């Protein structure tokens, strides 16, 4: 099937357009949510009580690898949407699976990082700093986990039903979500890790 | 945990409530079974995605919560009616002012306003439903789950008792070890999910589903106010989500967001709470402004004076609402510069609000005013609310606030804002839109009893509080000595609260009377009104409009009536697409409620098991490809003939 309209498939029905707009509004709410978490982190970041501070425990090399993994996954999810617009079901599935695998790799490294911190004596109950740190990072990590499960279920639907008006708009929305998590991570990398290492 | 720790014991009032609740539940279940109404309830109400029915359920829940919150209020008034009474002890009094505040704001004002938005907005913009009907049902049910969880606290486990603001360190585990504040954190979190979903839903509905021709400056003013309100919801509620998450982690998992000893900061809670809490005030008051504007324009028989300035004023208030949160704690250690800035932004809110007051007055000027019950509420609102507003400006002055802070003066002020601003508006709106919801009017004569009793009772209750407040009585005092001389003022106040309660009883009687005896022959447009919802049948048919209306001007229906263009052409009828009912919203909300309940008691394994219910609901939802159904033209024609007579 070749499309004669200029709008992409995921925007074809009015309901899809509303779903996508609704998701953008939801992302607006998510921005507020993460902004609040960041602001609270900035309030508490120096309140380490008797526990370790950021620069005592952060391992920049691991965090850098996590960053590259997540950034790459954002790129591959873009490739998946590109395949979707070309009605290439196989390409869509492959690139999305690659995206999810990268996401899972990121999670694996992040969990290891958390275990390392706990061994260093920084648990979520240690201080104001660790509470804010683990909650900010944990909220992001929970979003990634949710995204992996959600997108897996969407891929089952694409596999069964092909690329339709409905499945395409769902996949497109999930890719917005994935990019958003990447953006949040860039802020975490910059304002939690880099800032924590130098200040 | 033993049974007498699980159930609240040792208080005859609460024992009576427990027995009462138990009997009512059994009675309800028996009655529904006897009438064989379970299937009807399930298919017509529990699984419905129709915005009008969802709106009606919201209103019903709001009225019930008004009763609960009202009883709390009456108990407080009884306790303080004379010096040194001991109807309630200090602990019980603390619990009651806490639940009164939370219930009145979050479980009374919010559902009543959101309920009326649900019924009215799609009809006002000529749409057949909201953008996401199933999400809308989910919003209602998860709000309801949160409300029920919160109400459960006073019979199971114990009520929260740290005030509706739940300031730390008092609200922390160290000083409030019981489960009461867990209820607070979790039930508000659960209900908040629903409110956020409503916000997203209405923003998209109003952007995308307006009738053809209805450009932004032709949007009815109530819809405008609701649009801006929902934007504030989306911007403010996530802050509450995070604040409550921190509170939950602190209380359940031993983190230190708010405990000073381990590097936490109690002021963080205050800032986050009011960063949400102040916009929340405008979330409840802005839609009320929209309702008054509709009612005043209709019954003054004039178009709304200064429509555009009204829109700009609402937007201005919404913007400023985000910039004033510190005025709730001027006394808590800010620098003079910070206090001055927030003093200024707070006083600036009086400017757009003043614009609105004058617009209403100019709408009334030279109007042919009809004193219907809903108009009476709107007229009483203007002076009462102005008293609330002016005392607000007094409180806004940081230096003076050191005297008023946490006194009864403040309590009187915010009741003078919220009761005329929200409760009067909801009453006006109920009388006004009732025929559109149910197909009959509420009785006007009983309505006037309701009005006079409530308004007189309201002033009698809250006016004395200004004076005891200025005389130094701080809020949340459960008793006082006779030598203070407050006994007479508070005695009057207690009598006033009984008069108010009589007003509420008149409303309940009115609903009962009108259901049984009111005329069902009200036509589509009983008030000779201006906006689109009055162009379709009363009660509105489930598809809302047989043909989507085309709009040319503001108050289009008003001008179409004058030109005699309100008929329906048979040739224009096309099949109407409708969404199907769904069981997922109510089941999902139930699972959320259950998880919340287990978390309250910190039974983590049970909570995890219940969370499986949420996962199942979400998975079922993503695999749901139901496309809805179409209403055929014959059926539309038949339903439209019923009230229009012959079609053109």
């Amino acid at each position: 099937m070749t499309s004669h309209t200029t709008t992409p498939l995921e925007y074809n029905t009015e309901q899809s357009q509303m779903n996508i707009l609704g998701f953008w509004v939801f992302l607006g709410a998510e921005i507020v949510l993460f902004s609040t978490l960041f602001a609270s982190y900035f309030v508490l970041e120096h309140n380490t009580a008797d526990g370790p501070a950021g620069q005592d425990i952060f391992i920049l090399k691991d965090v850098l690898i996590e960053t590259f993994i997540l950034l790459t996954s954002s790129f591959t999810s873009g490739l998946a949407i590109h395949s979707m617009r070309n009605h290439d079901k196989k390409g869509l599935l492959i690139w999305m699976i690659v995206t999810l695998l990268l996401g899972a790799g990121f999670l694996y490294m992040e969990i290891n990082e958390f275990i390392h911190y706990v061994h260093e004596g920084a648990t979520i109950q240690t201080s104001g700093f660790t509470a804010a740190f683990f909650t900010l990072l944990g909220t992001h990590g929970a979003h990634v986990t949710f995204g992996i499960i959600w997108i897996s279920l969407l891929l089952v639907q694409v596999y069964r039903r092909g690329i339709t008006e409905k499945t395409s708009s769902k996949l497109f929305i999930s890719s917005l979500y994935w990019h958003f998590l990447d953006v949040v991570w860039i802020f975490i990398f910059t304002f939690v890790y880099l800032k924590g290492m130098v200040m | 945990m033993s049974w007498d720790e699980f159930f609240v014991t040792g208080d005859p009032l609460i024992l009576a409530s427990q027995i009462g609740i138990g009997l009512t539940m059994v009675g309800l279940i028996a009655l529904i079974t006897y009438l064989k109404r379970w299937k009807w309830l399930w298919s017509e109400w529990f699984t419905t995605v129709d915005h009008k029915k969802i709106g009606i359920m919201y209103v019903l829940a709001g009225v019930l919560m008004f009763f609960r919150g009202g009883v709390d209020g009456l108990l407080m008034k009884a306790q303080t009616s004379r010096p040194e009474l001991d109807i309630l002890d200090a602990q019980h009094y603390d619990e009651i002012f806490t639940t009164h505040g939370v219930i009145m704001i979050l479980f009374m004002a919010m559902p009543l306003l959101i309920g009326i938005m649900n019924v009215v907005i799609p009809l006002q913009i000529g749409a057949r439903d909201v953008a996401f009907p199933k999400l809308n049902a989910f919003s209602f049910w998860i709000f309801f789950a949160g409300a029920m969880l919160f109400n459960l606290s006073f019979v199971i486990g114990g009520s929260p008792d740290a005030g509706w603001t739940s300031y730390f360190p008092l609200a922390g585990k160290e000083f409030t070890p019981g489960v009461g504040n867990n209820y607070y954190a979790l039930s508000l979190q659960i209900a908040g999910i629903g409110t956020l979903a409503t916000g997203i839903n209405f923003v998209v509905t109003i952007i995308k589903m307006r009738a053809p021709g209805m450009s932004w400056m032709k949007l009815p003013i109530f819809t405008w106010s609701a649009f801006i309100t929902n934007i504030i919801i989306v911007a403010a509620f996530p802050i509450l989500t995070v604040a409550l998450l921190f509170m939950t982690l602190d209380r359940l998992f031993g983190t230190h967001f708010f405990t000073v000893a381990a590097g936490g900061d109690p002021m963080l809670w205050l800032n986050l709470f009011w960063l949400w809490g102040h916009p929340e005030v405008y979330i409840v008051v802005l839609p009320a402004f929209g309702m008054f504007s509709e009612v005043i324009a209709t019954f003054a028989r004039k178009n709304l004076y200064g429509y555009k300035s009204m829109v700009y004023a609402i937007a201005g208030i919404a913007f400023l609402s985000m910039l004033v949160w510190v005025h709730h704690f001027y006394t808590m250690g800010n620098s003079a510069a910070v206090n001055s800035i927030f003093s200024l932004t707070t006083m600036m809110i009086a400017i757009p609000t003043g614009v609105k007051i004058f617009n209403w007055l100019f709408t009334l000027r030279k109007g042919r005013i009809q004193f219907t019950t809903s108009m009476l509420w709107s007229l009483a609102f203007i002076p009462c609310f102005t008293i609330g507003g002016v005392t607000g400006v007094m409180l806004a002055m940081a230096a003076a606030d050191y005297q008023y802070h946490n006194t009864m003066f403040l309590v009187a002020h915010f009741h003078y804002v919220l009761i005329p601003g929200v409760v009067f508006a909801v009453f006006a709106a109920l009388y006004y839109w009732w025929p559109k919801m149910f197909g009959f009017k509420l009785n006007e004569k009983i309505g006037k009893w309701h009005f006079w009793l409530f308004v007189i009772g309201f002033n009698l209750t809250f006016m004395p509080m200004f004076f005891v407040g200025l005389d130094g009585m701080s809020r949340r005092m459960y008793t006082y000595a006779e030598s203070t001389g407050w006994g007479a003022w508070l005695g009057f106040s207690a009598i006033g609260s009984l008069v108010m309660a009589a007003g509420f009883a008149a409303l309940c009687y009115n609903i009962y009377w009108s259901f049984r005896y009111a005329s069902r022959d009200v036509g589509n447009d009983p008030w000779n009104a201006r906006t689109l919802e009055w162009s379709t049948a009363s009660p509105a048919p489930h598809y809302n409009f047989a043909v989507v209306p085309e709009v040319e001007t503001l108050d289009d229906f008003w001008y179409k009536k004058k030109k005699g263009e309100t008929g329906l052409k048979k040739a224009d009828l096309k099949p109407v697409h409708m969404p199907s009912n769904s069981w997922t919203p109510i089941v999902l909300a139930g699972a959320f409620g259950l998880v919340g309940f287990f978390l309250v008691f910190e039974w983590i394994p049970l909570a995890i098991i219940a969370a499986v219910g949420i996962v199942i609901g979400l998975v079922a939802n993503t695999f749901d490809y139901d496309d809805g159904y179409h209403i055929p033209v014959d059926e539309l024609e038949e339903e439209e003939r019923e009230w229009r007579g012959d079609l053109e």
Side-chain angles (χ1 to χ4, degrees):
Chain A
M1 189 187 89
T2 51
S3 175
H4 296 286
T5 54
T6 47
T7 47
L9 186 62
E10 66 268 20
Y11 281 97
N12 261 10
T13 68
E14 275 179 37
Q15 188 64 49
S16 304
Q17 290 174 21
M18 290 197 291
N19 291 351
I20 293 168
L21 177 65
F23 199 79
W24 276 111
V25 180
F26 170 73
L27 287 184
E30 287 272 54
I31 289 172
V32 178
L33 183 116
F34 277 102
S35 306
T36 313
L37 287 168
F38 274 107
S40 306
Y41 175 78
F42 296 146
V43 169
L44 298 174
E45 67 179 321
H46 300 296
N47 301 4
T48 51
D50 299 327
Q55 64 258 48
D56 301 336
I57 50 174
F58 293 157
I59 305 173
L60 206 52
K61 193 184 115 218
D62 286 15
V63 179
L64 208 58
I65 296 171
E66 283 169 41
T67 306
F68 279 118
I69 291 177
L70 206 62
L71 286 179
T72 312
S73 83
S74 213
F75 177 65
T76 55
S77 85
L79 290 178
I81 297 304
H82 183 71
S83 308
M84 185 180 88
R85 289 194 175 154
N86 291 334
H87 300 278
D88 172 8
K89 179 173 153 185
K90 204 172 142 197
L92 167 62
L93 287 173
I94 289 173
W95 284 119
M96 249 335 177
I97 289 169
V98 171
T99 303
L100 297 185
L101 288 176
L102 288 168
F106 166 83
L107 267 186
Y108 174 77
M109 287 201 65
E110 186 169 49
I111 291 167
N112 271 332
E113 187 195 327
F114 281 8
I115 292 171
H116 163 76
Y117 296 152
V118 171
H119 283 306
E120 297 280 313
T123 73
I124 194 169
Q125 292 152 333
T126 305
S127 64
F129 157 68
T130 60
F133 173 79
F134 280 110
T135 306
L136 171 58
L137 275 277
T139 307
H140 177 265
H143 274 74
V144 175
T145 314
F146 177 84
I148 291 173
I149 299 168
W150 174 34
I151 296 174
S152 308
L153 295 173
L154 295 186
L155 292 183
V156 174
Q157 293 165 38
V158 172
Y159 180 74
R160 284 195 197 154
R161 293 166 187 270
I163 298 170
T164 67
E165 282 169 346
K166 272 199 161 181
T167 55
S168 65
S169 86
K170 285 183 171 195
L171 250 298
F172 179 72
I173 285 170
S174 75
S175 79
L176 291 180
Y177 180 80
W178 199 262
H179 290 310
F180 171 74
L181 294 183
D182 211 35
V183 173
V184 173
W185 181 259
I186 290 169
F187 280 88
I188 290 178
F189 180 68
T190 314
F191 291 107
V192 175
Y193 289 108
L194 289 186
K195 183 167 168 256
M197 293 304 282
V198 293
M199 287 170 84
Chain B
M1 177 180 277
S2 61
W3 282 110
D4 64 328
E5 281 176 67
F6 185 69
F7 286 109
V8 178
T9 55
D11 187 313
L13 279 174
I14 290 179
L15 183 68
S17 310
Q18 283 163 334
I19 295 170
I21 291 169
L23 290 178
T24 313
M25 297 291 275
V26 173
L28 264 181
I29 291 170
L31 186 72
I32 297 167
T33 313
Y34 176 73
L35 296 171
K36 299 198 171 72
R37 285 295 190 142
W38 283 111
K39 210 177 154 209
W40 171 81
L41 261 185
W42 179 259
S43 59
E44 293 289 317
W45 294 94
F46 290 174
T47 59
T48 189
V49 293
D50 180 338
H51 68 95
K52 299 174 288 297
K53 286 183 174 171
I54 291 170
I56 288 169
M57 290 193 287
Y58 264 120
V59 169
L60 192 64
V63 172
L64 279 177
M65 288 295 106
F66 198 169
F67 176 76
R68 160 79 211 266
V71 171
D72 284 346
L74 287 173
L75 283 170
M76 284 190 278
K77 287 281 108 189
Q79 165 63 23
T80 54
S81 60
R82 309 290 324 134
E84 286 165 40
L85 286 182
D86 49 5
I87 301 169
L88 305 171
D89 57 32
Q91 171 63 22
H92 202 169
Y93 192 81
D94 289 354
E95 292 174 7
I96 281 178
F97 70 66
T98 303
T99 54
H100 171 78
V102 173
I103 286 176
M104 285 305 202
I105 294 281
L106 287 152
F107 300 132
M108 183 280 281
M110 293 294 283
L112 282 170
L113 294 167
I114 290 176
I116 292 164
M117 282 186 213
N118 256 293
V119 173
V120 175
I121 288 173
L123 290 167
Q124 264 197 343
I125 62 174
R128 294 221 162 96
D129 208 316
V130 293
F132 314 116
K134 198 158 57 164
L135 183 69
N136 198 24
F138 175 68
S139 287
F140 169 73
W141 287 110
I142 196 152
F143 144 75
F144 192 68
M148 289 300 105
L149 184 64
F150 187 83
N151 276 276
L152 212 55
S153 65
F154 91 106
V155 288
I156 296 177
S159 296
D161 56 2
W164 91 280
T165 50
S166 280
Y167 283 177
F168 280 80
L170 177 61
K173 195 102 174 173
E174 190 186 349
F175 298 103
T176 314
V179 296
N181 270 55
N182 297 354
Y183 270 114
Y184 175 96
L186 289 155
S187 61
L188 263 56
Q189 188 71 285
I190 288 171
I193 299 171
T195 311
L196 178 62
T198 299
I200 295 170
N201 212 336
F202 279 113
V203 168
V204 177
T205 303
I206 296 169
I207 292 177
K208 284 284 190 181
M209 297 179 81
R210 284 168 290 138
M214 189 182 275
S215 54
W216 285 105
M217 281 300 153
K218 292 173 189 163
L219 200 60
I221 193 74
F222 173 61
T223 304
W224 250 121
S225 69
F227 178 63
I228 292 174
T229 302
N230 283 294
I231 291 174
I232 314 180
I233 288 180
V234 173
F237 263 77
I239 305 174
L240 179 70
T241 306
V242 172
L244 291 171
L245 172 69
F246 290 170
M247 181 190 242
T248 310
L249 290 173
D250 261 14
R251 292 189 57 89
L252 265 58
F253 301 102
T255 56
H256 298 291
F257 285 102
F258 306 125
T259 38
V260 180
D265 188 347
M267 285 307 289
L268 180 61
W269 167 265
L270 264 78
N271 278 283
L272 293 181
F273 183 87
W274 287 115
L275 265 164
W276 160 79
H278 201 88
E280 166 67 15
V281 175
Y282 291 92
I283 289 168
V284 294
V285 91
L286 287 181
F289 288 168
M291 291 167 184
F292 287 128
S293 303
E294 298 285 0
V295 170
I296 288 175
T298 299
F299 294 113
R301 302 259 155 267
K302 282 175 68 190
N303 47 3
L304 185 68
Y305 184 90
Y307 166 84
K308 278 192 183 172
S309 66
M310 277 298 205
V311 173
Y312 296 136
I314 299 171
I317 293 173
F319 176 72
L320 288 172
S321 79
M322 304 281 175
L323 303 174
V324 299
W325 77 95
V326 170
H327 72 213
H328 295 273
F329 43 89
Y330 282 142
T331 56
M332 297 190 198
N334 316 305
S335 68
V338 168
N339 274 359
S340 307
I341 289 167
F342 281 90
S343 206
L344 275 174
T345 53
T346 305
M347 284 190 246
M348 273 160 71
I349 288 195
I351 298 168
T353 314
V355 168
K356 299 183 74 68
I357 299 272
F358 282 108
N359 279 340
W360 289 315
L361 293 176
F362 280 119
T363 308
L364 292 167
R365 184 172 172 266
K366 290 192 178 175
R368 272 175 287 139
I369 296 172
Q370 287 176 303
F371 291 97
T372 57
T373 308
S374 54
M375 186 61 159
L376 285 176
W377 287 113
S378 313
L379 295 176
F381 152 77
I382 297 174
C384 293
F385 185 81
T386 304
I387 295 174
V390 170
T391 50
V393 177
M394 290 167 72
L395 287 158
M397 295 181 279
D401 185 65
Y402 274 70
Q403 292 299 317
Y404 309 130
H405 185 82
N406 264 356
T407 64
M408 292 298 268
F409 186 86
L410 166 80
V411 178
H413 153 70
F414 69 69
H415 282 88
Y416 260 91
V417 174
L418 287 172
I419 295 180
V422 181
V423 179
F424 287 13
V426 166
F427 289 151
L430 284 180
Y431 281 90
Y432 184 64
W433 278 299
W434 196 269
K436 199 46 70 184
M437 292 157 81
F438 296 103
F440 60 88
K441 288 184 188 177
L442 286 172
N443 183 289
E444 283 287 310
K445 201 173 155 199
I446 309 173
K448 273 158 199 163
W449 275 98
H450 170 208
F451 169 76
W452 286 110
L453 285 169
F454 200 91
V455 172
I456 292 170
F458 157 72
N459 281 291
L460 211 54
T461 309
F462 294 102
M463 191 61 85
M465 290 190 190
F466 281 123
F467 298 104
V468 289
L470 289 177
D471 203 22
M473 181 178 183
S474 63
R475 69 195 293 202
R476 295 169 173 171
M477 283 173 70
Y478 87 106
T479 194
Y480 53 93
E482 191 161 7
S483 58
T484 55
W486 299 332
W489 289 118
L490 292 171
F492 271 118
S493 177
I495 293 168
S497 69
L498 288 175
V499 180
M500 250 174 123
F504 182 74
L507 170 68
C508 296
Y509 178 68
N510 198 354
I511 293 173
Y512 164 79
W513 190 94
S514 306
F515 253 108
R516 290 202 66 167
Y517 306 114
S519 161
R520 260 56 180 173
D521 185 24
V522 289
N524 60 313
D525 182 21
W527 311 115
N528 193 11
R530 318 180 69 85
T531 38
L532 278 179
E533 71 269 31
W534 305 104
S535 69
T536 192
S538 304
H542 57 300
Y543 50 80
N544 289 2
F545 298 95
V547 173
V548 172
E550 296 223 7
V551 174
E552 287 157 38
T553 63
L554 180 65
D555 293 342
D556 196 64
F557 179 58
W558 178 257
Y559 296 103
K560 288 242 164 74
K561 275 195 288 193
K562 282 194 174 166
K563 288 190 275 180
E565 289 174 0
T566 57
L568 184 68
K569 291 194 188 72
K570 200 174 148 184
D572 290 344
L573 289 177
K574 289 191 191 85
V576 172
H577 176 251
M578 298 291 290
S580 306
N581 284 5
S582 171
W583 56 268
T584 38
I586 187 170
V587 171
L588 253 183
F592 269 101
L594 214 55
V595 172
F597 181 74
F598 291 139
L599 282 180
V600 164
F601 287 93
E602 303 177 29
W603 297 334
I604 309 295
L606 281 175
I608 292 170
I609 294 169
V612 175
I614 298 176
V615 176
I616 291 173
L618 289 175
V619 172
N621 189 53
T622 186
F623 282 101
D624 178 11
Y625 272 75
D626 191 309
D627 262 334
Y629 62 97
H630 284 86
I631 306 174
V633 171
D634 307 348
E635 210 180 305
L636 290 177
E637 204 183 317
E638 200 179 312
E639 282 212 36
E640 290 295 308
R641 269 184 210 283
E642 243 174 61
W643 65 279
R644 288 178 189 266
D646 276 336
L647 306 183
E648 285 170 33

